[in-house]
């Protein structure tokens, strides 16, 4: 087996000192070593987007990144979205527009949409659908997800 | 008596109670469950579709630090094969799956050994170096080939299901025309976003074995696995957490579930197994794959005199929990909303060296609706009438209801409980602007565009009995606890049950806490499948809540020195009816005054299913160059009898549509001729994304409430999926202006280009 490296991951502003093998994915490190199980794993090969987190302001697929690569970077996960009991506008919009059913894909969609809208608040509708088509959802048929993100985009622009 | 001031919740699109934990990362899915000291399990799977398993050498794996054990068949030989849950036929029993392969392997992905190690990375490393000595045998890959030996003794055709009524042969003799088609539906499946997972835990202090990560049918699975492992109801319990999509396939007993439980008991260690995506695509239940050879006898006006349908159901390598459910339902539900005077179905159950099958959303109906509606289109083309007219001529009328079909399935006679099929067809066509759509399309076609429209009708079924129990209790804090043996697969049952309970009892729906999927909390339960929960558990909830209300008012009447008939419960407070002034009392205070007494339980039993029905209309554009299809318009009309929460019903229908489109245009499990699966990642098993699923228009109607329950409920889980293959095929035919061009699903770009070139 490979030797472990000691690294510090900064997740939602909190530092986690962990020891990981170099081959350990960021997704596994976030979930298992740092206990933040809101980030989900649906495919482990970069297609479904369930594992999407925001690393230094960009949405990334945490199953395609090694934990050691994320050292020193600022990682945001679904657990950090709400402000206490107040949901982030994106979370609220998903609730209001029935943008989730089983909720498994939801953290990935939330982080994807938040990451993109923070960088590009005036993103065109076409580009928005392009971005959202990079994550898979098996339950909702997407229309309510698109509706939710549109509603949140308006709210976030305020 | 004055009107009650109780709030109405049934029929309102209130937000879901389920959402907050799921939106904040506090969901508890199978992979989120951990126990201290747990071992990870990894399954070693056959890389060969058909072969003789001569030996397994695990010595190198076992020598790795952190690897605790490797089990092969010898370690689980005492565990019987996994039995059937539904539609078991005696002749199918020899085809049940053992939890690990013994001397032959029958599909790529079949579990042959399991490795137990300190963590998942190690377990996977070790599993990779377990050596298998398998001598390949010729695989059987086509369910339409003549039956032959499967392995040493068995036949590839364990049984044939025959159903029918009327004099089919006489009808064919008397017919003006006979229409014949050969149609096939591809192999695809639920593919939930969360892969499967199971955690076995043995609680030594209580001598209690637990399985976490349960879904769908926890009580049945507990009882059955308990029998397989020699555990009783008292010392074996199943726990359901959040479930990342069910769609029929999750929660049936699979080999892995049984092994984690057996291993937890044997090693006295928590055993965690989480499937990866490749494993899921080759080992969880597949579904759908059928080939139908169908004939219709018709008169000169296109009226159906008889249908004769012979079909071949590719069930893969073993008969799993569902046994013959899918072909049985396909055979029984093929007639759909039409009057078919004589009918015969011959379903060949066939084994092949592919992943074994189970049910997937609208099982047997997706397939048979494709067949029936293709047949209706073919009849229209044959007699020269349009596709709406041919349906109108054959539809069952409202006055025919209730309609006894003369067929049985899932142990009950099919009796369409209520329906006005013609009315729904009119409403759907109106919503779609059908006449104008036809004109626009014709004009665009004249300009060289390949555009077309289709329509398809169907009858669904839901609310499978025989029973459901619900227990409701007012807790000391005034909140209501509702316990049911139903299960959640993400469809929103907590909210729907809370709405029914809240309105019946007189509280706010957010104060109802619905507990499901915990076998230690209620004695029996049937879980969630076949769109049964809203109907069965919903009616049981209504009954238990009514009983609780009566009981509460009686107890309150004593304390409030009033007549129970003068009291009402409004917003969790017991008051005098109609706002008459007088003392009132909070439910919480009554609960504190009479601890443990504010509780009621009731059951709903039903021997017949209920039958929602629907119409889909689609308009598409075909790109002959790329073989791509753009869905320009999609309308779904569905009569659900009564929608408890229209927002959730629409959500189910919209989600169902995406899965229907997947099966119609993209999704297919492909194999090469040696039986090697070719669809093993999301890059080669293509599911629709936000790009491919169009904005749809959903019309929910309540024209034909079910007479079989007090709210008139019919389930809504499957009607978004059922006719999608049928209606898209019809629309593509129209775009190509070639009736009968589409005979096979999915209509992948490759297939469509080949059709366009012909
Ligand atoms: S789990 Fe990372 S993209 Fe699917
Ligand atoms: S809500 Fe279930 S996968 Fe998206």
């Amino acid at each position: 087996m490979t030797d472990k490296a000691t690294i510090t991951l900064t997740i939602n502003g909190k530092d986690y000192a962990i020891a990981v093998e170099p081959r350990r994915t960021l997704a596994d490190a976030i979930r298992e070593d740092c206990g933040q199980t809101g980030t989900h794993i649906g495919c482990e090969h970069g297609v479904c987007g369930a594992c999407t987190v925001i690393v230094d302001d960009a949405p990334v697929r945490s199953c395609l990144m090694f934990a050691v690569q994320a050292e020193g970077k600022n990682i945001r996960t679904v657990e950090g979205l709400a402000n206490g009991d107040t949901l982030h506008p994106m979370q609220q919009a998903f609730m209001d527009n029935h943008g989730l059913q089983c909720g498994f894909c939801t953290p990935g969609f939330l982080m994807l949409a938040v990451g993109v809208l923070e960088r590009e608040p005036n993103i065109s509708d076409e580009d928005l659908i392009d971005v959202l088509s990079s994550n898979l959802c098996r339950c909702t048929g997407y229309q309510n997800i698109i509706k939710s993100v549109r509603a949140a985009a308006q709210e976030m622009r305020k | 008596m004055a009107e009650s001031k109780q709030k109405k919740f049934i029929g309102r699109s209130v937000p879901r109670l389920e959402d907050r934990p799921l939106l904040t990362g506090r969901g508890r899915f199978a992979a989120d469950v951990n126990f201290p000291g747990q071992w990870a399990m990894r399954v070693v799977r056959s890389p060969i579709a058909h072969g003789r398993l001569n030996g397994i050498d695990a010595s190198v794996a076992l020598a790795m630090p952190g690897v605790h054990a490797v089990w092969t068949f010898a370690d689980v030989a005492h565990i019987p094969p996994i039995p059937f849950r539904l539609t078991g036929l005696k002749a199918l029993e020899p085809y049940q799956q053992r939890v690990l392969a013994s001397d032959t392997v029958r599909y790529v992905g079949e579990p042959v050994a399991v490795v137990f190690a300190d963590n998942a990375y190690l377990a996977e490393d070790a599993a990779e170096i377990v050596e298998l000595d398998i001598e390949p045998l010729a695989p059987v890959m086509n369910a339409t080939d003549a039956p032959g030996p499967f392995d040493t003794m068995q036949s590839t055709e364990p049984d044939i299901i025959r159903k029918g009524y009327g004099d089919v042969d006489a009808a064919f003799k008397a017919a003006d025309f006979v229409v014949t088609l050969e149609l096939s539906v591809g192999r695809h499946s639920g593919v939930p976003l969360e892969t499967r997972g199971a955690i076995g835990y043995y609680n030594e202090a209580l001598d209690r074995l637990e399985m976490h990560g349960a879904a769908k049918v926890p009580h049945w699975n507990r009882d059955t696995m308990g029998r397989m492992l020699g555990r009783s109801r008292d010392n074996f319990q199943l726990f359901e957490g959040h479930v990342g999509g069910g769609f029929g396939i999750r929660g049936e007993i699979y080999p892995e579930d049984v092994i984690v439980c057996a291993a937890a008991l044997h090693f006295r260690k928590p055993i965690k197994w989480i499937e990866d995506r490749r494993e899921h695509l080759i080992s969880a239940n597949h579904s759908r794959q059928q080939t139908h050879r169908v004939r219709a006898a018709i008169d000169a006006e296109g009226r159906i005199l008889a249908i004769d349908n012979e079909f071949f159901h590719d069930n893969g390598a073993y008969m799993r929990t569902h046994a013959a459910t899918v072909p049985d339902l396909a055979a029984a539900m093929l007639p759909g909303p039409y009057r078919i005077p004589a009918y015969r179905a011959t379903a060949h159950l066939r084994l092949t060296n592919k992943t074994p099958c189970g049910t997937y959303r609208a099982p047997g109906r997706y397939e048979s609706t494709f067949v029936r509606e293709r047949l209706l289109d073919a009849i229209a083309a044959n007699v020269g009438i349009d596709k709406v007219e041919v349906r109108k001529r054959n539809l069952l009328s409202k006055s025919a209801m209730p309609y006894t079909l003369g067929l049985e399935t899932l142990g009950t006679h099919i009796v369409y409980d209520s329906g006005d099929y013609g009315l729904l067809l009119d409403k759907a066509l109106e919503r779609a602007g059908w006449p104008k759509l036809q004109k626009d399309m014709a004009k665009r076609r004249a300009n060289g565009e390949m555009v077309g429209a289709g329509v398809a009708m169907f009858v669904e079924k839901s609310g499978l009995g025989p029973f459901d129990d619900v227990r409701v209790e007012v807790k000391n804090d005034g909140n209501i606890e509702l316990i049911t043996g139903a299960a959640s697969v993400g469809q929103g049952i907590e909210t729907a049950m809370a709405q029914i309970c809240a309105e019946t009892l007189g509280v706010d729906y957010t104060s109802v806490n619905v507990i499901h999927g915990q076998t230690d909390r209620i004695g029996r339960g049937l879980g969630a499948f076949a769109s049964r929960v809203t109907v069965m558990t919903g009616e049981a909830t209504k009954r238990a809540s009514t009983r609780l209300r009566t009981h509460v008012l009686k107890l309150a009447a004593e304390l409030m020195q009033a007549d129970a008939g003068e009291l009402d419960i409004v917003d969790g407070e017991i008051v005098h009816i109609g706002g008459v002034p007088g003392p009132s009392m909070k439910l919480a205070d009554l609960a504190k005054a009479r601890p443990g007494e504010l509780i009621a339980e009731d059951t709903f039993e039903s021997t017949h299913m209920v039958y929602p029905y629907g119409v889909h209309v689609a308009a598409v554009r075909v790109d002959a160059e790329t073989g791509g299809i753009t869905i320009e318009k999609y309308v779904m009309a569905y009569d659900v009898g009564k929608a408890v929460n229209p927002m959730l019903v629409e959500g189910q229908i919209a989600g169902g549509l995406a899965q229907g489109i997947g099966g119609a245009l993209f999704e297919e499990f492909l194999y090469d001729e040696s039986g090697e699966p070719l669809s093993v990642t999301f890059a080669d098993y293509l599911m629709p994304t936000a790009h491919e699923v169009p904005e749809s228009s959903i019309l929910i109607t309540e024209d034909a409430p079910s007479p079989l329950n007090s709210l008139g409920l019919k389930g809504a889980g499957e009607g978004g999926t059922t006719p999608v293959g049928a209606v898209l095929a019809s629309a593509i035919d129209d775009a190509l202006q070639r009736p009968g061009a589409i005979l096979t699903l999915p209509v992948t770009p490759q297939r469509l280009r080949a059709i366009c070139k012909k």
Side-chain angles (χ1 to χ4, degrees):
Chain A
M1 289 334 82
T2 20
D3 288 331
K4 287 189 173 180
T6 312
I7 58 167
T8 300
L9 291 185
T10 310
I11 304 176
N12 303 322
K14 198 172 155 208
D15 286 347
Y16 296 82
I18 57 173
V20 293
E21 287 179 44
R23 63 174 177 167
R24 193 161 185 81
T25 66
L26 178 59
D28 284 342
I30 290 173
R31 289 178 48 81
E32 276 156 44
D33 303 306
C34 307
Q36 306 299 299
T37 55
T39 300
H40 294 154
I41 296 174
C43 71
E44 289 181 286
H45 53 256
V47 181
C48 75
C51 64
T52 306
V53 299
I54 299 175
V55 178
D56 282 353
D57 298 328
V60 304
R61 315 208 142 186
S62 60
C63 73
L64 292 185
M65 194 168 178
F66 294 114
V68 290
Q69 295 172 293
E71 161 128 69
K73 297 190 162 54
N74 182 21
I75 303 165
R76 286 159 64 199
T77 68
V78 68
E79 286 93 343
L81 270 190
N83 184 358
D85 272 350
T86 313
L87 295 178
H88 185 282
M90 191 62 73
Q91 292 168 312
Q92 189 62 49
F94 268 69
M95 187 186 284
D96 296 343
N97 294 285
H98 192 29
L100 66 154
Q101 288 186 22
C102 78
F104 191 79
C105 69
T106 311
F109 269 102
L110 291 171
M111 300 319 282
L112 174 72
V114 167
V116 167
L117 285 170
E118 282 177 352
R119 301 175 113 196
E120 230 184 307
N122 294 312
I123 188 168
S124 72
D125 211 51
E126 211 174 303
D127 288 349
L128 187 67
I129 292 177
D130 248 357
V131 167
L132 294 177
S133 72
S134 60
N135 279 19
L136 293 174
C137 171
R138 196 56 164 166
C139 301
T140 62
Y142 302 106
Q143 291 312 313
N144 285 349
I145 293 180
I146 296 171
K147 235 189 268 170
S148 306
V149 178
R150 279 189 191 133
Q154 284 206 3
E155 199 54 37
M156 284 169 72
R157 280 198 284 264
K158 276 187 195 157
Chain B
M1 213 206 290
E3 255 306 280
S4 165
K5 287 230 174 71
Q6 272 170 256
K7 276 212 194 108
K8 298 274 176 246
F9 289 104
I10 300 171
R12 277 177 55 199
S13 293
V14 296
R16 294 204 318 173
L17 301 173
E18 289 87 342
D19 286 353
R20 190 169 267 269
L22 296 170
L23 285 164
T24 51
R26 282 183 289 112
R28 196 172 151 87
F29 294 90
D32 305 338
V33 177
N34 287 301
F35 290 97
Q38 73 196 6
W39 291 354
M41 180 176 99
R42 177 80 184 176
V43 182
V44 180
R45 298 179 185 279
S46 172
I48 286 179
H50 192 196
R52 197 154 288 125
L53 180 57
N54 291 329
I56 299 173
D57 181 359
S59 53
V60 185
L62 275 168
M64 287 170 60
V67 173
H68 302 292
V70 176
W71 271 7
T72 60
F73 180 74
D75 300 285
V76 294
H78 60 286
I79 301 176
I82 298 170
F84 302 139
R85 186 167 68 81
L86 286 173
T87 337
L89 300 171
K90 200 86 197 129
L92 306 181
E93 275 168 16
Y95 298 81
Q96 291 171 336
Q97 186 167 11
R98 306 293 299 242
V99 298
L100 290 173
S102 54
D103 43 10
T104 46
V105 291
R106 287 181 177 172
Y107 63 99
V108 172
E110 176 163 7
V112 290
V114 286
V115 174
F116 302 99
D118 275 340
N119 63 57
Y121 280 66
L122 268 180
E124 193 166 338
D125 288 341
E128 264 169 27
I129 52 171
V130 170
E131 274 187 45
L132 306 178
D133 175 5
I134 300 175
E135 179 190 332
L137 299 169
V140 177
M141 298 308 293
N142 293 314
T144 46
D145 290 350
F150 191 39
D151 45 31
T152 39
M153 301 150 60
Q154 317 291 357
S155 157
T156 53
E157 181 170 273
D159 211 346
I160 298 174
I161 298 173
R162 298 175 202 277
K163 287 185 198 289
Y165 57 80
D167 192 340
V168 172
D169 296 324
F172 273 89
K173 264 190 215 126
D176 289 297
F177 301 107
V178 172
V179 178
T180 306
L181 290 174
E182 176 161 328
L183 299 159
S184 30
V185 177
R187 172 175 274 255
H188 58 277
S189 188
V191 192
L193 253 256
E194 182 198 18
T195 55
R196 294 177 299 151
I199 300 95
Y201 173 70
Y202 177 65
N203 184 328
E204 205 135 16
L206 297 175
D207 177 32
R208 183 165 96 165
L209 180 63
E210 299 175 1
M211 192 192 94
H212 299 260
K216 188 176 182 178
V217 282
H219 283 86
W220 192 89
N221 286 354
R222 173 196 61 182
D223 294 349
T224 305
M225 285 198 285
R227 273 195 298 278
M228 294 170 73
L229 298 170
R231 305 292 294 180
S232 75
R233 282 180 175 214
D234 304 323
N235 60 24
F236 185 33
Q237 300 295 341
L238 264 54
F239 299 91
E240 169 191 89
H242 285 107
V243 172
F247 318 124
I249 85 156
R250 187 198 300 282
E252 294 298 335
I253 297 179
Y254 287 98
E256 296 88 350
D257 303 314
V258 183
I259 302 174
V260 294
C261 293
L265 198 58
H266 180 84
F267 295 113
R268 313 258 142 154
K269 287 275 176 196
I271 307 289
K272 179 167 178 172
W273 171 72
I274 301 297
E275 180 183 57
D276 71 26
R277 184 53 63 183
R278 179 178 186 277
E279 288 184 285
H280 182 87
L281 292 170
I282 62 174
S283 60
N285 286 347
H286 289 177
S287 200
R288 299 271 202 254
Q289 190 168 24
Q290 291 181 351
T291 297
H292 291 247
R293 293 176 186 151
V294 65
R295 299 188 303 143
I298 55 174
D299 70 13
E301 275 80 52
R303 280 193 194 84
I304 298 169
L305 307 173
I307 290 180
D308 185 9
N309 183 34
E310 178 173 35
F311 67 99
F312 303 84
H313 176 82
D314 182 340
N315 199 72
Y318 291 96
M319 286 288 169
R320 282 186 175 167
T321 46
H322 276 290
T325 298
V326 178
D328 195 84
L329 280 164
M333 297 206 56
L334 189 125
Y338 307 110
R339 182 177 295 282
I340 308 208
Y343 175 70
R344 178 164 63 214
T346 312
H348 299 267
L349 272 61
R350 291 282 170 84
L351 276 287
T352 57
N353 291 108
K354 303 179 196 166
T355 301
C357 289
T359 51
Y360 172 32
R361 206 172 197 171
R365 283 92 73 193
Y366 190 85
E367 303 88 328
S368 60
T369 294
F370 175 67
V371 171
R372 178 188 64 248
E373 297 297 305
R374 287 278 67 198
L375 196 58
L376 265 290
D377 283 358
I379 294 169
N382 203 284
V383 289
I385 53 177
D386 90 16
K387 52 180 92 171
V388 170
E389 180 57 28
V390 75
R391 287 173 171 82
K392 286 195 170 158
R393 282 187 196 172
N394 285 289
L395 273 186
L396 285 164
S397 68
K398 186 183 175 190
S399 59
M401 298 294 149
Y403 182 76
T404 303
L405 186 56
L407 297 168
E408 275 182 36
T409 190
L410 303 180
T412 86
H413 290 282
I414 298 182
V415 182
Y416 298 161
D417 51 339
S418 60
D420 189 342
Y421 302 152
L423 178 66
L424 193 67
L425 177 60
D426 290 341
K427 287 186 175 180
L429 293 172
E430 193 191 317
R431 171 67 72 100
W434 184 256
K436 181 165 179 311
L437 184 66
Q438 290 296 311
K439 254 190 237 141
D440 291 350
M441 297 250 150
K443 210 186 287 162
R444 289 170 64 191
R445 273 197 300 267
N447 288 330
E449 271 193 275
M450 296 178 93
V451 288
V455 57
M457 304 186 67
F458 63 101
V459 176
E460 255 301 331
K461 54 133 213 70
S462 83
L464 183 62
F467 70 87
D468 243 31
D469 298 341
V470 164
R471 184 160 73 233
V472 255
E473 179 175 359
V474 184
K475 300 299 236 186
N476 281 355
D477 57 4
N479 286 325
I480 315 299
E481 184 179 79
L482 188 160
I483 306 179
T484 159
S488 166
V489 284
Q491 76 279 51
I493 75 144
E494 292 172 37
T495 304
M497 292 311 115
Q499 287 177 258
I500 295 173
C501 172
E503 175 166 327
T504 311
L505 191 58
V507 298
D508 192 85
Y509 86 105
T510 57
S511 69
V512 183
N513 180 19
V514 176
I515 302 194
H516 52 81
Q518 315 298 315
T519 56
D520 62 338
R521 296 300 309 275
I522 191 161
R524 52 176 207 167
L526 286 173
F529 58 96
S531 300
R532 67 181 301 283
V533 176
T534 308
V535 179
M536 293 302 299
T537 315
E539 180 66 19
T541 294
K542 171 118 191 276
R543 292 180 178 202
S545 307
T546 305
R547 204 179 264 268
L548 179 60
R549 179 184 164 83
T550 310
H551 184 56
V552 161
L553 290 180
K554 195 172 127 247
L555 293 180
E558 286 168 22
L559 291 174
M560 291 166 74
Q561 298 182 347
D563 193 90
E566 292 163 5
L567 298 176
D568 192 3
I569 310 175
V570 176
D571 256 345
E573 188 148 359
I574 303 147
V575 296
H576 286 264
I577 277 188
V580 174
S584 72
M585 185 174 198
K586 285 196 170 4
L587 268 180
D589 294 330
L590 182 65
K592 274 178 222 140
R594 311 293 295 262
E597 284 185 46
L598 272 58
I599 185 161
E601 201 169 327
D602 213 335
T603 297
F604 177 48
E605 287 179 12
S606 179
T607 49
H608 282 293
M609 294 192 282
V610 297
Y611 295 87
Y613 55 96
V615 180
H616 286 203
V617 182
V620 305
R621 179 162 37 89
V622 168
D623 182 336
E625 280 302 300
T626 63
I629 290 155
T630 310
I631 301 173
E632 296 187 341
K633 179 175 222 138
Y634 207 99
V635 172
M636 294 177 273
Y638 202 27
D639 195 313
V640 299
K642 173 79 196 169
V644 175
N645 184 322
M647 175 183 83
L648 298 190
V649 173
E650 285 186 22
Q652 285 294 306
I653 293 174
L657 168 64
Q659 294 188 319
I661 291 174
L665 305 179
F666 307 104
E667 296 178 34
E668 192 167 27
F669 291 108
L670 294 170
Y671 293 80
D672 72 9
E673 52 311 342
S674 72
E676 177 80 17
L678 303 175
S679 318
V680 295
T681 72
F682 277 159
D684 33 50
Y685 185 83
L686 299 181
M687 305 205 295
T689 74
H691 265 310
E692 288 79 38
V693 182
E695 229 176 298
S696 55
S697 169
I698 302 169
L699 177 67
I700 297 168
T701 61
E702 299 177 338
D703 292 323
S706 176
L708 298 185
N709 61 71
S710 70
L711 292 167
L713 300 165
K714 295 181 174 188
E718 298 167 276
T721 304
T722 317
V724 185
V727 76
L728 288 177
S730 179
I732 296 166
D733 265 15
D734 193 34
L736 304 178
Q737 290 287 294
R738 277 167 55 188
I742 303 301
L743 301 170
T744 302
L745 296 181
V747 190
T748 55
Q750 296 88 319
R751 282 200 184 116
L752 187 55
R753 277 182 63 192
I755 291 169
C756 289
K757 282 202 188 112
K758 259 195 243 158

